[in-house]
Amino acid sequence: MHCRITRVLAGAVLVLLACHGPVAADAVEVRSIPVPLNAENPDQKVIGKLTYRGGIELLSQSDRFGGFSALGLSADGKRLVSLTDEGNRLDAHLVYGPDGGLSGLANTEIFTLTGPGGIPLIDKSMADAESMAPGVDGEIIVAFERIHRLWAYPPNQTEPIPLPLPAEMKNAPDNNGIEALTLLDDGSLFAIAEGKGRGGTNLAWVSNPRGWSVLIYRTEDNYRPTGAATLPGGDVVVVERYFTPREGARARIRRIKADGIRAGAEVCGELLADIHAPLTVDNFEGIEAIKGPRGETLLFLISDNNFNRFGPQRTLLMMFELTN
């Protein structure tokens, strides 16, 4: 696997999806409502090592809109792709305000992912996409759960190519799949499962020429990893979520040093931000990192509203600048 996957710009995700023939495509109307970082203190812009650069709540009447679990952006930050846990993908252009902050989406379309034979993924057991990463030849690599698998979607082709799974995933519970997937600068894939291991740990893997090697991702306070992205420079950011009916949703963003991601290692990233009430927060599952127009590092988060179009969960798209 390692031999055929190498690090490319995040824009490869957009190239790939733009090249696929449309399958059950809908042009959808999406309304963007600006959201502050802190509704109780609208002047707040900084949380931990992140500076808020704008965010929006996304609303649509489409039955296929929602459930966003994975996120990709073009290298120039102009285009977005997000995958849902019902086998759809959202394509859109990002809109920025005069200050460069995120202000909306335009040209929004929804497509249906396909399986072997180019057949649309409709059944939930096959359509539950949870994470994605780009590949060297313009393909996108998608991790699905329930029926756990990794599929690579080449450009100009709707039929995916199966990739080997980590052996430990073959008998994993339906809802404990690979939630975080990113391509490292050395050409290997880094994957983290949502399922909890012993003592607050999660199984993780890094690919190599023979397949996959195991490592351990350690969390705290019952948070679970839900997405990963590779920063300019090679480190990795991971978004973690926490939820209880009483406390609601919380999220943490952590950074893992690139040289710490190796076979047999145990990693617990540096805490960049702890996002909880009264800050604007929801069920964040997708994260992406790009270099901004001034050379700054920008992070984007998208939340999975579980298709609760009328609340309490929301689809949020938020943009931050990494300040350290």
Side-chain angles (χ1 to χ4, degrees):
M1 181 186 306
H2 183 91
C3 297
R4 62 182 299 272
I5 301 172
T6 190
R7 176 68 178 158
V8 293
L9 291 175
V13 174
L14 278 298
V15 172
L16 162 78
L17 293 180
C19 289
H20 281 178
V23 178
D26 282 340
V28 295
E29 182 178 346
V30 177
R31 187 158 57 100
S32 301
I33 301 175
V35 293
L37 176 61
N38 184 345
E40 296 182 5
N41 179 13
D43 293 331
Q44 181 178 353
K45 299 297 181 184
V46 176
I47 172 69
K49 295 186 177 181
L50 302 182
T51 299
Y52 191 49
R53 295 282 302 275
I56 47 181
E57 179 183 358
L58 301 174
L59 299 170
S60 176
Q61 294 299 313
S62 171
D63 291 339
R64 298 165 65 193
F65 186 89
F68 297 109
S69 301
L71 182 64
L73 270 76
S74 60
D76 61 8
K78 293 181 178 180
R79 297 186 61 199
L80 168 150
V81 164
S82 187
L83 304 184
T84 85
D85 55 19
E86 290 193 353
N88 294 311
R89 84 173 195 254
L90 172 72
D91 290 10
H93 286 81
L94 291 162
V95 178
Y96 299 92
D99 61 352
L102 179 66
S103 63
L105 293 184
N107 303 322
T108 47
E109 293 183 304
I110 290 181
F111 300 82
T112 301
L113 295 175
T114 54
I119 298 173
L121 299 179
I122 298 174
D123 184 85
K124 178 70 172 180
S125 66
M126 292 292 290
D128 196 349
E130 292 293 335
S131 54
M132 67 179 181
V136 62
D137 296 321
E139 73 271 28
I140 188 171
I141 301 158
V142 181
F144 295 86
E145 67 176 11
R146 298 182 187 263
I147 299 176
H148 301 297
R149 61 206 184 278
L150 285 171
W151 282 353
Y153 288 85
N156 300 311
Q157 182 176 320
T158 58
E159 186 170 355
I161 299 171
L163 297 180
L165 264 181
E168 294 80 5
M169 284 304 307
K170 293 179 180 176
N171 296 315
D174 289 356
N175 202 36
N176 286 351
I178 293 174
E179 286 276 332
L181 184 69
T182 190
L183 193 66
L184 304 178
D185 276 354
D186 67 358
S188 56
L189 283 172
F190 176 50
I192 312 173
E194 182 182 18
K196 302 292 287 186
R198 296 178 180 176
T201 63
N202 295 74
L203 276 180
W205 301 268
V206 61
S207 66
N208 59 64
R210 296 170 302 280
W212 295 91
S213 295
V214 176
L215 61 154
I216 296 298
Y217 182 83
R218 180 170 291 280
T219 61
E220 299 173 340
D221 305 324
N222 292 315
Y223 279 74
R224 293 192 174 204
T226 56
T230 301
L231 294 168
D235 291 348
V236 168
V237 284
V238 177
V239 57
E240 301 175 351
R241 70 162 169 221
Y242 173 89
F243 177 81
T244 67
R246 173 174 291 184
E247 298 174 281
R250 299 181 177 186
R252 286 176 176 170
I253 311 297
R254 293 188 178 273
R255 174 169 54 196
I256 306 170
K257 293 295 185 182
D259 59 8
I261 302 173
R262 60 186 185 277
E266 182 176 303
V267 296
C268 180
E270 169 198 6
L271 182 63
L272 299 179
D274 193 346
I275 310 173
H276 55 81
L279 301 180
T280 299
V281 64
D282 216 295
N283 179 31
F284 291 123
E285 292 202 10
I287 186 169
E288 180 62 292
I290 62 171
K291 184 177 289 188
R294 296 181 282 103
E296 74 274 34
T297 297
L298 300 176
L299 301 183
F300 292 76
L301 296 172
I302 197 166
S303 66
D304 175 359
N305 72 342
N306 289 302
F307 291 93
N308 291 313
R309 281 182 291 277
F310 305 104
Q313 290 183 303
R314 297 180 291 172
T315 298
L316 298 176
L317 180 64
M318 302 178 75
M319 171 182 167
F320 297 87
E321 180 178 341
L322 179 59
T323 53
N324 290 291

